[in-house]
Each structure stands twice: as C-alpha cells, then as structure tokens.
Amino acid sequence: MNKNTSSIAPWFSDAKLGIFIHWGIYAVKGVSESWSFYNGEISHEDYMAQCGGFTASKYDPDAWADLFKRAGAQYAVLTTKHHDGVALWDTAASDLNVVKQTPAGRDVVAPWVKALRKKGMHVGLYFSHLDWNHPDYPTMLPWDYDPARHNNPFGHPMDGVEKPERWKRFLKFHRAQLKELCDRFKPDLFWFDGSWEPAPEHWKFKQLGQQLQTWCPGVVLNSRMGGYGDYETPEQGIPTVAPEGPWEFCMTINDSWGYQPRDKNYKTPRQIIRTFAEVISMGGKLLLDIGPKADGTVPAPQVRTLETLGAWIAKHKPAVYGTVAGLPPGLFYGASTLSKDRKSLFLFVFDRPWKDIAVKGLSARVKRVRCVGTGHDLTHRVLGGAPWANIPGILWIDLPAAEFDKYATVVRVDFETPLEIWMQAGHMITANT
Ligand code: GLC
C-alpha cells in the first residue's frame, strides 16, 4: 500500500472538505442506491424502470460547483457508476448509461467536470468495481464462499461454479470503463467502492493501480481496492482514533446517500460543523454527502446546510485551511488544529464556558490570544507550572458570551516559538527558584 503522505498529491494532503454526490436513477423513486433491488426491497424491474424518470431537466452543474465552492469545499466526488451499473457518462463499453436509457439523454459527468474545474476545484470520480447489472459480473465466488449466505443472483454464481472466461470479459469491461474515465476527464481522484464480493486477487488490484497511474499520472486512489490505494475511507461513524496515514471520513447529510424524500433525519448545521472540526482536528478530511433529485436539483435542506457550513468556514478560514492536526486528546476539551509552522493553535469551542477555557501541555510562550470570528483579543494567563524546569502551567483564556459563534467559537493562540507539546507524567523538581 502506498499510504505515505509524501507521495500523495499535495492538493489532497491539504484538502479539508469534499462534497460527495450520490446521483442516479435511484433518485426517481427515492429508494436506496442499488441496494434496494439487491436486497429485494423493490423488484429489479421496478428499480430499472426508474430510468424513465431520470430527466436531469433542471441540472445546472455550474450552480452545483458554485454551491460547493461556497460550502468551502476543495473537491467533489460524483457517482459516475454505482453498484447498479448505470453509467452517468456516455460510455462506449455498455448501453447501460443515462445517455441511452433515460430522458436525460446526455452525458452528465462531462459538464460537471468542466464546472468544477472552472471554479478551481478538484475532480473526484466515484466508481463501483462491482456491477450488479452486468451479465458477466456474478461469475466468481467469494474467498469465504458459503452457499447459505452467498446466494444472491446479482452478486454470485447461483450454481456455485466459477466461470473464469466470463470473469475475464467482465474485467476487460471494467478496465475499459476506467480507461474512458481517465481519457475523458483526467480525474484528480478515483473513489472506488464495491470491492467486497469476488476475492481481491480476482480483481488484480495491484495491476489496476499501476494502470491508472499510467493513464492518469498522479491520480489519488482511495483504498477500496483490496488494500492498494492512497488513503483510508472510514464511513458514517466518525473515527475516535485517527486512522493511520491520510484519511477522509465520508458521511451522509441525513441517513441516506442518495435522494430519499422520506428521510428527514438531517444532521443540523451545528452537528456537521462540529464533526468537521473534529475530523480536521485529527488530521482527516470530511467528505460530506448530498443526494440530488432526479431533475438535478439539490434538496433545499441540503443547500442550507452546505451554505451554513461554508459561512462558518469562511469566518474561520485560518483555523481550517493550511492547518494540520491539533493537540492530542486531553489537553483541551474540544477540537483543535495547528498552523503548519506550529506557531498558531486554533481551539474549537463547542459549548458555552462559564467563564474561561483551559489548555494544558503547551511548551511555548504565548504571544497573543484572539477570538477568530470577532478578531477581539482575549484576556488570558498561565497559572502553575515551573517554566525554569520546562513544565508548562495551564493556559486559562477568558471567553465572554459576546465572543460566541452560534455554531462553534474559534480561539487563536499565537506563540513566540513553534509549539512543543508536553505529554508527560510529571516529576519532582529538584532545583527551585
Ligand atoms: C457503501 C455503500 C454505498 C455507498 C458507499 C459510500 O459502501 O455500498 O451505497 O455509495 O458506501 O461510501
């Protein structure tokens, strides 16, 4: 695996926020993306009949790109093909695409890529390895094959017999689609998914990784390719321990990846802002998912949340962009980031303090403390510690209610010298002043 930060594209190392878009025929009836027919909640026929309602009649990729930019995102990832195999671009490798099968009648990826680039954003393409609609797909057995469990006709050969010749054909098709995506769109990132059915060796992921790098030099790959790839993709549950190497946490805005109008279980802007701050505090990035409707409009609550997040980020830019992971847990009861030169610490305060907030373990002299949102200086003092023995005291910062941000208040601490963090059990002092 290639998970070392030095080889990954610098734009990606620095990125903090991406927008994930699950857009496909599943938005027509508002059912779950691909899974609804795989799990039998809807018949395959009814699922595919949604093709007739995918109009993209109000699709405005420039407006999407503008919204993502206003949200503060540096990249976005679009489902070019989910597990249902319906391609959103004009693929020559199969007729199953929105150009041929839906009233949209056109490639919807191409104008999206163009719109993002116009706004200076990076382009990520989601692509499902597995394809539950391709006749040659369900031809291999999983490594832990158990006929009682692996009996889904979309995913596995029902007779329990592998058909390597047909699998070979499927792989050819899989590579052909990826080559098209590389040639046409030169993506900055591939966001793979659906690698869990046939055993990893059947996919030849290592070879695929090399192929993608020749077709599209420098492309960033997520690690949903049998352990190859550049970064981890924890999903839905925010990590409580930072994953090793570069990582991105993907999360739905309500409970659904795609558009499901009955799902009103939206996370509030405050909750999303807090999650975002916690993720960047641990050195990760957030890939926040939205589900546009079949006509291409983004549901109003999703627009509002992105705009609120964007306004908050715009107000607190220095605490977000160009920063690295902040303090280890326990030194401050909130999230934090550090400037790359470690001379500024940003504290994210989610709750209302009674009077002051406290930070421990700071081995550097404080120069100035400010509230980022208001720009006001904040009174502060260091109490305790033994500077002559290099033992830091506690930095107490007054944070009056007038300084509060509605979503999360950010306090900036500037130091005279780059911050060193004191993580020690402490010891007896043998020389006092
Ligand atoms: C899961 C699901 C899929 C969704 C993806 C996003 O792997 O299979 O529906 O697109 O998560 O991370």
Side-chain angles (χ1 to χ4, degrees), residues 20 22 33 35 82-83 126 191 193-194 196 224 235 250 257:
F20 207 177
H22 275 67
E33 68 293 343
W35 289 100
H82 204 263
H83 312 330
Y126 170 107
W191 211 101
D193 196 16
W196 55 81
R224 295 186 181 191
E235 171 174 334
C250 56
W257 293 104

Side-chain angles (χ1 to χ4, degrees), residues 198-330:
E201 64 269 17
H202 296 315
W203 290 102
K204 300 190 171 48
F205 282 129
K206 188 174 176 190
Q207 179 214 62
L208 174 63
Q210 289 160 352
Q211 236 158 22
L212 291 168
Q213 288 302 339
T214 51
W215 293 337
C216 207
V219 68
V220 177
L221 307 174
N222 77 346
S223 62
R224 295 186 181 191
M225 40 191 298
Y228 294 98
D230 302 309
Y231 72 95
E232 291 299 338
T233 55
E235 171 174 334
Q236 295 292 46
I238 184 170
T240 52
V241 172
E244 241 179 82
W247 60 280
E248 168 207 70
F249 170 54
C250 56
M251 181 179 82
T252 50
I253 202 161
N254 48 6
D255 288 334
S256 314
W257 293 104
Y259 174 61
Q260 295 198 41
R262 68 183 169 280
D263 179 358
K264 307 265 191 267
N265 204 21
Y266 279 100
K267 295 163 187 87
T268 64
R270 178 180 288 107
Q271 289 162 341
I272 286 177
I273 286 166
R274 179 173 181 150
T275 299
F276 174 61
E278 289 183 342
V279 165
I280 63 172
S281 170
M282 287 194 290
K285 34 196 131 264
L286 177 67
L287 184 64
L288 179 62
D289 180 77
I290 60 165
K293 298 180 189 177
D295 66 4
T297 53
V298 180
Q302 306 189 6
V303 173
R304 279 199 298 274
T305 297
L306 293 194
E307 284 174 342
T308 310
L309 171 62
W312 181 86
I313 293 177
K315 187 174 165 189
H316 301 103
K317 264 190 197 146
V320 173
Y321 302 124
T323 60
V324 294
L327 301 173

Side-chain angles (χ1 to χ4, degrees), residues 171-187:
L171 271 197
K172 233 176 122 186
F173 157 76
H174 175 266
R175 300 309 200 254
Q177 287 204 318
L178 286 172
K179 174 112 186 1
E180 281 182 356
L181 291 174
C182 286
D183 290 349
R184 292 199 203 166
F185 307 124
K186 294 269 169 281

